[in-house]
Amino acid sequence: MSFATPALCVPAPVGSVPSLSLEPVFRRSHGSLYKALAKGRIDDDRLRKLLVANRPPHWPMVFAVDASTWDRCDAECSPERGFYYSASKHSAGQPIVAGWSYQWICQLDWASDSWTAPLDTQRITPFMDATTASIDQVRRLVSLLPTDRRHPVVRLRCRL
C-alpha cells in the first residue's frame, strides 16, 4: 500500500504521516508485528546458509557451543516449557529454572574482545536429548562450512 492510498481515504487534510496510522484503512495495532510473524515463517536452512556464508573469513575455524535458558518461571501455560540447569538463578534452593533452552554455535576470534559470529541456534525442548541435539547441530554446521585446503576437514565420531 502506498502513502497515497490512505491519504485519499482520509476525510480531512493529512497533518502528518504517523496520523495516517489511525485511519481504518491501515487496520494496524500495537501487535501488528506479532501478527505478521505469526502468519509468516523463517526458512531455517536458508538463514543458516546465509550466516555461514557471511561469517568472518579471516577468523580461525574455532567454534563455541553455549546453552542458555530464557527463564519464564511464571508462564505455566507456555508450550513446551521445561526445567533447565542455571548457574545463576535458583528455584526452591535448586539450580533449576523453568523456561526455554536455546543452544548457540558461534565462531570465535583470537582477538581479546567479546565479539563472536553466531552461526546457528536451536531450541532444545524438554522432549529432546540434549546430547543428541548438540551432535546433530554441530554436524549440520560442519556440512555447511566451506572445504578449503588451508583448513583441515573436520570429522565427527560420536558415541552415545
Side-chain angles (χ1 to χ4, degrees):
M1 177 184 310
S2 70
F3 171 77
T5 304
L8 294 175
C9 299
V10 178
V14 177
S16 69
V17 175
S19 68
L20 286 175
S21 66
L22 300 174
E23 294 302 318
V25 72
F26 268 98
R27 294 188 187 100
R28 293 191 177 158
S29 62
H30 292 289
S32 56
L33 172 64
Y34 299 106
K35 291 174 188 173
L37 289 173
K39 289 183 180 179
R41 147 177 136 48
I42 294 174
D43 186 345
D44 296 334
D45 292 332
R46 192 170 176 189
L47 179 59
R48 283 184 184 102
K49 289 175 184 175
L50 180 69
L51 289 172
V52 169
N54 290 288
R55 66 183 181 76
H58 59 281
W59 284 13
M61 297 286 257
V62 176
F63 305 95
V65 179
D66 175 60
S68 299
T69 301
W70 182 21
D71 59 318
R72 306 302 292 162
C73 297
D74 296 327
E76 294 159 358
C77 297
S78 296
E80 294 184 344
R81 186 181 72 132
F83 295 97
Y84 301 97
Y85 170 79
S86 174
S88 60
K89 296 183 181 181
H90 293 204
S91 175
Q94 299 296 317
I96 297 172
V97 295
W100 297 288
S101 179
Y102 291 90
Q103 187 163 283
W104 294 81
I105 299 180
C106 294
Q107 186 173 2
L108 308 176
D109 190 12
W110 296 123
S112 58
D113 56 27
S114 60
W115 288 98
T116 64
L119 298 177
D120 190 69
T121 186
Q122 176 178 342
R123 183 168 166 217
I124 308 295
T125 67
F127 309 107
M128 297 170 75
D129 177 55
T131 304
T132 305
S134 300
I135 292 168
D136 292 343
Q137 187 180 17
V138 170
R139 283 185 175 153
R140 183 174 55 230
L141 174 64
V142 169
S143 72
L144 294 175
L145 291 172
T147 56
D148 190 344
R149 291 179 187 218
R150 293 175 289 162
H151 300 290
V153 176
V154 178
R155 298 202 188 273
L156 297 175
R157 292 189 183 205
C158 303
R159 288 188 181 170
L160 300 177

